[in-house]
Amino acid sequence: MKLGTIKHFFFTLSFFIFTISKVYAQVAFDGKNDMLTIGKKIEYYIDSSSNKNVQFLQQQKQFIRSKSNVPDFGLLKVPIWLKVSVTNNSNTPEILIEFGQSFLQSIDFYSWEDGRLTVSKSGELYPFSSRTIKYHQFIYALHIPRGATATYYFRIVSNHAMQLPVFLGNKDHVEENNLTKNILFGVFFGIIIVMFFYNLFIYFVVKDSIYLYYVVYILIVGLIQVTIEGYSFHYLWPDNRFLATRSFFILTALVNISGLAFVRQFLQTKRFIPRLDKISYLIYFVYAVAIILACSGEYYISYQILQSFAGIVSVYIIVIASKIAWYGYRPAKFFLIAWIPLIVGILIWILKDFGVFPYNTFTNYSITLGSALEVVLLSFALADKINILKAENDKSQLGTLQALKENERIIREQNVVLEKNVIERTSELISANTVLNETLEDLKQTQSQLVESEKMASLGQLTAGIAHEINNPINFVTSNIRPLRRDIDILTTAFNTIEAICLSDVLPADRQKQILDYKEEIEFDILTLEISHLVKGISEGANRTAEIVKGLKIFSRLDEDDLKKADINEGLKSTMIIANNLLNNNIKTIKNYSDLPLVECYAGKLNQVFLNIISNAVYAVKIQFDDRPGGEITIETSHDETFVFVTFKDNGIGMDEKTRQKIFEPFFTTKNVGEGTGLGMSISYNTIKKHNGKIVVQSTPHKGSIFRLEIPIKFDTKHFSGVN
């Protein structure tokens, strides 16, 4: 054979093969059959540089023919170009091409209209309104005249695994096919809605939190299926780019989180398998990371995590459910039966993504079908749990009833014993009460005797003070009376003698001389002067006695039993008159009285307080100095807008802290037996407390004590009462 003939043969063969391949790559649409699956007629080009345009690709011959009816490109981070050539052999000039994948970030459709290249952009990155045909999946109209052939390009970017079933048909084919799918999905969604409200109603009836977990899970299951089918982008967030691109990742993570939370509650994993239960926290964490990655735009990593963990979580749930069922927990058995359809659906869907199972209606809707069966069967499982709880409740009520009957029997027996014990105890209490009343009566009598004893001691002290103070002026009066009587007798005799001289017959000059001589004889001038001094002394004694009686009256305030205004300085002065006999001549008293306002008080009771404190001060000074000079008692008064302050300061023996804390206790005394009752300072405390005042005590052993009384000017119960 000649060389030219061989070349011509090979050229003819090559042209024939090229022509056959081009014809084979074209889709011939006659419009007679149902929708065509044209996956094997598609050519694709992976744009690894992400910068190719359609003009460049028209000149290239790098497109690769798909070998599958449903091309599976996996998870790609770069755009993929699809090339479709269609020959219209039908009677309609408009052919529809549909992509059975709703998760596409962007899909750019390039076509030629009137010899001009046009592009239609849509996908999750664009508002739903940008689609030329408003449907939740991507449908484009191909305008091809009868008998003509046209080539179209699609640039696709997706953040999910791309399985692209591509269909070709006329309007009737597309509507019929989609109507069937919508009806099937409507049945599924109806089941979800019914189960949602059914379990929500049960939750409000039984108030069991497990139903709330299940309601949340059902809601998210419904949302994820609606999102997978593209209805969410169509109806819920058509203009929200953020949710459009991320809703699948977020809802997929949430459906696993809520499902696992429900499983833990339903199977009581903390109770049966506490160690395995802790793994759930790791799963929660992983899904939380997946949500964070998706929200931050790391779609591919998030998708890989979700795809990988879907199988792991499925296995984990089957393992824990099987283990708990092996323990004999009946709800776990129902759970396994209910969960198996969903587990199988998830596994089929994953294996379909990995290319193990082919893409078809069953594998594509495996999760949807499994979810519907799982929701229904889980509702049955929950209903069975209610029956179990009811049986347990009946058993518990029976046990409670038996326990109540036993308790009733025990109570009857105990009542008999109790009544006997009550009778015995009542008799003992009556006897004890009788003894207690007798003791109380004895205590009252003893208390009365002690109070009377304190009164008698105070009366004795008062009597001694009065006797001492009155004795001096009375002695002065009595000592002047005798010489006064004598002088009066002499004066009477003188009057008689002078009268006799005056009545005699002696000459007046002689009578005058006799009278003068007699007056000189009896020292009449001295006599009258002596009488004047004696009368003056008696008058002073009487006045002193009157002052003492007045001071006694002020001190005792016998005529003032009610609350009245009184002069505190006056009360202190009267008290010092009564206590003067206690001081002897060895104790020096220093009185610094300031001008005070009248105080609303029980004056007589306050005077008794002053006397008690002064008596104790005198006693402490005498113990410190004995009969030696040097003892001092200082009394000071002052006031502010609210209180009058009376301070008693001595340089006596003083007190330690232990004694200071106890001085106002009834019957406490540091005096020797027979020298005090121990009631004086207790009565003083109660008196100051009654006046809503307080006593501040400071004392240092062997250096002395200070008693500071704070007495309200106005009797007001709101002021603090007590001792510091």
Side-chain angles (χ1 to χ4, degrees):
M1 185 179 292
K2 295 181 179 180
L3 182 60
T5 304
I6 295 173
K7 287 182 178 182
H8 178 75
F9 172 77
F10 278 106
F11 175 79
T12 303
L13 180 62
S14 299
F15 177 79
F16 176 77
I17 294 173
F18 176 75
T19 302
I20 291 298
S21 64
K22 295 297 285 182
V23 172
Y24 183 75
Q26 292 177 357
V27 180
F29 179 74
D30 56 14
K32 296 179 181 179
N33 300 321
D34 293 335
M35 290 189 66
L36 301 176
T37 302
I38 61 171
K40 291 185 177 181
K41 302 292 185 178
I42 291 175
E43 297 178 278
Y44 65 90
Y45 171 77
I46 298 175
D47 185 4
S48 57
S49 63
S50 302
N51 59 5
K52 301 295 189 295
N53 55 35
V54 69
Q55 289 81 4
F56 172 81
L57 293 173
Q58 280 183 295
Q59 301 172 5
Q60 300 298 316
K61 298 182 180 179
Q62 299 179 6
F63 278 91
I64 302 172
R65 282 284 304 280
S66 170
K67 298 180 180 180
S68 172
N69 272 336
V70 180
D72 187 354
F73 302 107
L75 188 64
L76 292 177
K77 294 184 180 181
V78 295
I80 185 169
W81 288 82
L82 300 183
K83 179 181 177 182
V84 179
S85 296
V86 180
T87 300
N88 186 7
N89 295 328
S90 66
N91 295 323
T92 176
E94 184 178 82
I95 303 172
L96 299 179
I97 185 170
E98 177 180 352
F99 291 84
Q101 168 68 281
S102 59
F103 285 132
L104 296 177
Q105 270 193 310
S106 67
I107 175 168
D108 301 341
F109 170 51
Y110 293 89
S111 62
W112 280 260
E113 299 291 341
D114 300 327
R116 182 169 54 87
L117 180 66
T118 63
V119 59
S120 173
K121 295 179 178 292
S122 60
E124 296 169 345
L125 298 179
Y126 304 93
F128 186 82
S129 58
S130 65
R131 301 188 182 188
T132 54
I133 297 178
K134 306 300 186 289
Y135 194 67
H136 55 272
Q137 291 184 340
F138 299 98
I139 300 177
Y140 299 95
L142 309 181
H143 300 285
I144 307 173
R146 177 177 173 77
T149 301
T151 301
Y152 302 92
Y153 293 87
F154 297 88
R155 183 181 185 274
I156 300 174
V157 177
S158 177
N159 51 18
H160 302 74
M162 268 197 297
Q163 283 188 319
L164 286 177
V166 184
F167 307 101
L168 203 65
N170 58 29
K171 183 178 180 181
D172 293 336
H173 296 153
V174 172
E175 288 180 351
E176 182 180 354
N177 183 65
N178 288 329
L179 177 62
T180 302
K181 291 193 293 184
N182 289 336
I183 290 174
L184 291 174
F185 188 80
V187 172
F188 162 78
F189 195 71
I191 293 172
I192 293 295
I193 292 295
V194 169
M195 292 296 102
F196 174 81
F197 285 106
Y198 167 73
N199 287 281
L200 185 63
F201 171 77
I202 294 178
Y203 166 72
F204 285 118
V205 172
V206 302
K207 299 298 182 182
D208 190 344
S209 62
I210 191 170
Y211 282 94
L212 192 59
Y213 279 92
Y214 189 53
V215 164
V216 172
Y217 171 68
I218 291 175
L219 178 63
I220 300 176
V221 166
L223 281 175
I224 186 63
Q225 292 301 324
V226 167
T227 301
I228 289 174
E229 293 301 317
Y231 294 102
S232 295
F233 188 44
H234 189 174
Y235 298 106
L236 300 181
W237 44 79
D239 299 318
N240 192 318
R241 177 176 174 179
F242 181 88
L243 289 178
T245 55
R246 295 167 174 83
S247 57
F248 171 81
F249 304 95
I250 295 173
L251 290 172
T252 301
L254 289 179
V255 78
N256 283 279
I257 291 173
S258 60
L260 185 56
F262 165 73
V263 169
R264 294 177 65 214
Q265 292 291 320
F266 184 79
L267 298 181
Q268 300 184 27
T269 53
K270 283 186 178 180
R271 170 187 168 190
F272 290 104
I273 48 172
R275 292 184 179 179
L276 285 177
D277 177 71
K278 293 178 180 178
I279 298 176
S280 59
Y281 296 105
L282 174 61
I283 296 173
Y284 291 152
F285 174 76
V286 171
Y287 280 120
V289 170
I291 292 174
I292 294 171
L293 288 172
C295 291
S296 62
E298 298 292 337
Y299 309 114
Y300 301 100
I301 301 176
S302 179
Y303 187 87
Q304 289 173 338
I305 292 174
L306 294 175
Q307 192 178 47
S308 302
F309 261 78
I312 294 173
V313 172
S314 300
V315 173
Y316 172 71
I317 290 175
I318 291 175
V319 168
I320 61 176
S322 301
K323 194 171 184 64
I324 294 174
W326 185 76
Y327 289 149
Y329 186 56
R330 181 175 169 180
K333 299 176 182 178
F334 283 92
F335 175 82
L336 279 174
I337 296 172
W339 201 260
I340 285 174
L342 178 60
I343 299 297
V344 172
I346 292 173
L347 292 175
I348 291 173
W349 188 77
I350 293 171
L351 293 174
K352 178 260 302 180
D353 277 358
F354 282 106
V356 177
F357 290 153
Y359 183 97
N360 52 42
T361 302
F362 175 74
T363 57
N364 190 44
Y365 286 92
S366 61
I367 294 182
T368 304
L369 180 61
S371 297
L373 292 174
E374 179 246 359
V375 166
V376 174
L377 293 176
L378 277 180
S379 296
F380 292 155
L382 285 172
D384 181 72
K385 186 175 183 180
I386 292 178
N387 294 330
I388 294 173
L389 291 176
K390 184 177 181 301
E392 291 177 351
N393 187 48
D394 292 341
K395 183 178 180 181
S396 176
Q397 288 181 350
L398 180 61
T400 302
L401 182 61
Q402 292 176 347
L404 288 174
K405 290 182 179 180
E406 180 65 18
N407 288 338
E408 183 181 359
R409 182 187 65 79
I410 295 172
I411 289 171
R412 285 198 302 268
E413 295 176 356
Q414 290 296 323
N415 282 340
V416 175
V417 177
L418 183 60
E419 288 177 2
K420 181 179 178 182
N421 291 338
V422 166
I423 294 172
E424 294 176 355
R425 186 58 179 163
T426 302
S427 178
E428 293 175 359
L429 288 175
I430 292 173
S431 300
N433 190 44
T434 303
V435 174
L436 185 60
N437 288 332
E438 294 174 355
T439 304
L440 183 60
E441 188 64 29
D442 292 341
L443 285 174
K444 288 181 179 179
Q445 293 178 3
T446 302
Q447 182 183 21
S448 299
Q449 292 173 2
L450 287 171
V451 172
E452 289 299 322
S453 175
E454 178 64 21
K455 288 182 179 179
M456 292 303 294
S458 298
L459 181 60
Q461 190 178 46
L462 179 62
T463 303
I466 295 170
H468 180 271
E469 290 300 316
I470 293 179
N471 188 51
N472 289 334
I474 292 300
N475 285 339
F476 193 72
V477 171
T478 55
S479 63
N480 284 358
I481 287 176
R482 184 176 297 175
L484 179 61
R485 184 180 291 115
R486 182 197 65 202
D487 290 345
I488 291 173
D489 289 342
I490 294 172
L491 188 61
T492 301
T493 302
F495 286 154
N496 292 332
T497 302
I498 292 171
E499 182 183 6
I501 293 173
C502 290
L503 295 175
S504 67
D505 295 333
V506 182
L507 294 173
D510 291 337
R511 286 197 299 268
Q512 184 177 7
K513 184 177 181 303
Q514 288 179 5
I515 291 172
L516 291 174
D517 290 341
Y518 183 74
K519 288 175 66 177
E520 184 178 353
E521 179 184 347
I522 63 175
E523 298 178 339
F524 185 80
D525 293 337
I526 296 174
L527 180 64
T528 55
L529 181 62
E530 183 178 346
I531 289 173
S532 176
H533 284 303
L534 289 174
V535 171
K536 182 180 179 182
I538 291 171
S539 177
E540 289 177 354
N543 290 334
R544 175 61 178 161
T545 302
E547 288 178 1
I548 293 171
V549 172
K550 181 181 178 183
L552 176 62
K553 182 180 178 181
I554 293 172
F555 174 80
S556 60
R557 297 282 179 172
L558 297 176
D559 58 341
E560 297 180 2
D561 294 331
D562 297 330
L563 190 69
K564 293 185 178 181
K565 291 185 177 181
D567 187 348
I568 296 297
N569 288 338
E570 188 181 61
L572 286 168
K573 292 174 184 177
S574 67
T575 303
M576 290 306 298
I577 291 174
I578 302 302
N580 191 49
N581 70 302
L582 300 175
L583 301 174
N584 296 328
N585 294 321
N586 295 327
I587 301 176
K588 180 181 178 182
T589 58
I590 302 171
K591 303 167 188 173
N592 297 322
Y593 298 158
S594 63
D595 292 334
L596 300 178
L598 295 179
V599 175
E600 194 175 11
C601 64
Y602 298 96
K605 295 184 181 297
L606 286 182
N607 291 339
Q608 184 65 47
V609 173
F610 301 155
L611 181 60
N612 288 338
I613 295 176
I614 291 171
S615 298
N616 286 340
V618 170
Y619 178 81
V621 170
K622 286 183 177 180
I623 294 294
Q624 179 79 348
F625 291 94
D626 200 6
D627 292 330
R628 301 187 309 276
E632 288 185 359
I633 296 176
T634 302
I635 304 174
E636 296 179 352
T637 61
S638 61
H639 73 94
D640 59 16
E641 294 180 357
T642 308
F643 291 92
V644 165
F645 306 102
V646 183
T647 304
F648 300 88
K649 181 179 180 181
D650 66 70
N651 58 352
I653 191 66
M655 297 176 286
D656 57 21
E657 182 61 23
K658 184 177 180 181
T659 302
R660 190 189 76 82
Q661 294 289 341
K662 298 174 67 176
I663 58 174
F664 296 105
E665 295 180 4
F667 311 113
F668 176 79
T669 181
T670 58
K671 298 178 181 179
N672 296 328
V673 177
E675 294 185 3
T677 61
L679 292 174
M681 293 310 296
S682 175
I683 292 173
S684 299
Y685 168 81
N686 290 326
T687 299
I688 297 299
K689 183 178 180 181
K690 183 178 181 180
H691 284 79
N692 302 302
K694 62 181 179 179
I695 306 177
V696 180
V697 181
Q698 298 176 355
S699 186
T700 304
H702 305 293
K703 290 186 178 181
S705 302
I706 299 175
F707 283 74
R708 186 170 185 261
L709 308 184
E710 299 180 6
I711 306 169
I713 296 173
K714 185 176 181 181
F715 198 89
D716 189 351
T717 57
K718 293 181 180 179
H719 285 297
F720 170 78
S721 301
V723 178
N724 288 338

